[in-house]
Every structure is written in structure tokens, then in C-alpha cells.
Amino acid sequence: MSNSADSPQGPVRRPVWRPVRLLTVGVFALAGLIFVTSFNTAKGTDIRTDDSLLKLSDLIQQRSDRNGEFEESTSAVRRDVETLAERDDGSTKAEDERLGALERAAGTQEVRGEGLTVTLKDAPPNAQAAPGYPEPQPNDLVIHQQDLQAVVNALWQGGAEGIRVMDQRLISTSAVRCVGNTLILQGRVYSPPYRITAVGDRGKLEQALAESPAVQNYQLYVKAYGLGWKVDEHKAVTLPGYSGTVDLHHAKPVEPAE
């Protein structure tokens, strides 16, 4: 026989997990997981307000500056190569003339002559519609890619011997592209006002601008909302040759699996 002190007083009750208690434990566990994940992501950095994080625009500008440095370096190397090639050149005069013509057509050689510069810029911040026109939308007050392309295409149509957009000489593979309110040209980033300079017969260039439907459409926005349009004539202007890389990059077809 066992005494009463050693005898159980009744069945031992197992803990009961009620729904409310389970929910509370789950909430605390989820909160802990969120804190751990946030810490591992930030690594001690204020991910909301830390000034060390670069804005996308800052990164683009850094890449643009770096591309400009590479362009200057490439230009210097190219000049050295051309100097060595001229010193050791064994070609005939006819071959040299043909090569020079190809270089001028490709835009890699300096071109000089009369010409003009077209300047485009956004409307002033307080721009309002001229009488008889609807109130402007934000897109009506800024320069777009199509506006730059319209001017460039018209100048080519007018017989331009060479064109420079900002400080970049255009060649056959140049693409005038805008992202937001900035121009991206050959790896460089530019903001308005945009300057487009062409060498050629000034009369023909101005006539081509006046007859271009796309330029005429832009002129409507100049009149309605005050977008910038200015044409400066030059008795003599020099456009340096293109000094960047001329390598072509293209997609290659995937070889079918055997």
C-alpha cells in the first residue's frame, strides 16, 4: 500500500492550446521573421533615408561621364594609329583619295563649311497656352525624341555634309533616343536645351526645315506653348570627326540542338 502523499490526486491535465493563444504565437513569430529579414537586407543601413544610396539619375550621369573619358582616350589612341599609318603608308594617291571620301561619308573625318545650328528647349516653367489653344498637358511643354529626330532628318534631307548633336558627331549607327526629359546619345546623357549643328548649304538646310511636316508640327507647339526654337547661321563652322568606337554589335542566331 502507498501512502496518501505519494498517491496522485487526479489525472494530470495536458496544456490546451486555444485558438487565441495559437494566433498570438503566430503573430510574434511572423514579426520576428520580418525583423530578421529586414536586418539582413539593410546590413545596418537605413534603407529608407540613407543618402549613400545613389539615385538612378546619379548612376546614369556617372556612366555618362565615364563614357566621355573613354571617348577621349579612344580619340587619342586613334590619332596615334592614324599618325603611324600615314608614316608607313604605301598606298597610291588614288587610294588615299578614295579612303578620304569614305571617311568623310562615315563621319570619322573633320568637316568644315557654312552651316547652321538649331536650338530646341523646353517651355518656361510658367508657360500658359496662347489664346485659342487648350491648356497644356505636361508632355506639351518638353522636347521629345520625335522633335530631335525631325530636325536631324530634315537637315539630312537638306543635304547636310555632317551633323553634330550637342558635342557628338552623328554617324550611320547613331541613334537619337530620349528617356524622360534627357537625351541619350552614343553612351552620353544630355539635358535641354539641345543644339543641332549642320554643315551644308544654308539655304537648302533652312528650306528643308521649313518643308518638313514633323518640324511644322513642332512649330505649332512653339506658337501655342512657348517651346524653344532658334536657328543661328554660320559662315564657317567645323565639326570634328566621330572619335568613338565603330564596332557593330548584333544578335546571333541560336544553333539548333542536335
Side-chain angles (χ1 to χ4, degrees):
M1 271 182 84
S2 61
N3 57 35
S4 59
D6 295 331
S7 300
Q9 300 298 319
V12 178
R13 297 185 63 186
R14 305 176 69 178
V16 178
W17 294 94
R18 297 176 180 172
V20 174
R21 188 173 299 173
L22 285 173
L23 180 60
T24 302
V25 173
V27 169
F28 279 107
L30 179 60
L33 177 61
I34 292 174
F35 285 130
V36 171
T37 302
S38 177
F39 174 79
N40 289 333
T41 301
K43 296 298 183 182
T45 300
D46 187 345
I47 59 178
R48 183 179 294 275
T49 61
D50 192 86
D51 293 335
S52 65
L53 297 179
L54 293 177
K55 296 180 180 178
L56 179 58
S57 59
D58 297 332
L59 179 60
I60 292 175
Q61 187 59 53
Q62 283 188 353
R63 294 294 175 87
S64 175
D65 295 341
R66 188 178 181 187
N67 287 340
E69 294 173 0
F70 286 152
E71 182 179 321
E72 293 177 2
S73 176
T74 301
S75 178
V77 172
R78 174 172 290 175
R79 286 194 297 269
D80 292 341
V81 171
E82 290 175 350
T83 300
L84 292 173
E86 291 175 359
R87 188 186 67 184
D88 301 330
D89 188 11
S91 61
T92 65
K93 182 178 180 180
E95 290 173 337
D96 289 340
E97 291 177 351
R98 183 170 180 269
L99 178 60
L102 291 174
E103 289 177 338
R104 287 191 295 273
T108 58
Q109 194 174 78
E110 178 184 286
V111 61
R112 178 178 175 83
E114 66 172 308
L116 52 80
T117 296
V118 179
T119 302
L120 308 177
K121 65 179 180 180
D122 296 341
N126 58 348
Q128 296 183 357
Y133 291 93
E135 287 302 312
Q137 300 299 315
N139 281 336
D140 298 330
L141 305 177
V142 297
I143 305 299
H144 293 282
Q145 176 176 310
Q146 64 193 35
D147 304 323
L148 293 169
Q149 290 174 336
V151 174
V152 170
N153 291 339
L155 293 174
W156 284 130
Q157 186 69 27
E161 299 176 28
I163 297 177
R164 179 181 64 196
V165 177
M166 305 300 280
D167 59 352
Q168 295 273 358
R169 178 75 178 272
L170 297 187
I171 60 174
S172 59
T173 57
S174 300
V176 178
R177 289 194 292 262
C178 288
V179 177
N181 194 30
T182 58
L183 165 66
I184 298 180
L185 178 61
Q186 294 163 175
R188 304 281 298 278
V189 180
Y190 302 93
S191 299
Y194 299 119
R195 295 176 299 278
I196 305 170
T197 302
V199 170
D201 185 295
R202 286 178 292 177
K204 293 181 179 179
L205 295 176
E206 292 177 342
Q207 181 179 358
L209 289 171
E211 294 178 351
S212 167
V215 173
Q216 292 173 4
N217 182 69
Y218 175 80
Q219 295 283 8
L220 292 177
Y221 286 83
V222 173
K223 181 179 179 181
Y225 305 121
L227 288 174
W229 172 267
K230 183 182 180 184
V231 178
D232 295 310
E233 296 183 347
H234 307 296
K235 291 182 179 180
V237 62
T238 301
L239 301 184
Y242 174 73
S243 59
T245 178
V246 293
D247 292 339
L248 294 177
H249 302 278
H250 56 85
K252 297 182 179 179
V254 178
E255 295 293 337
E258 296 183 355

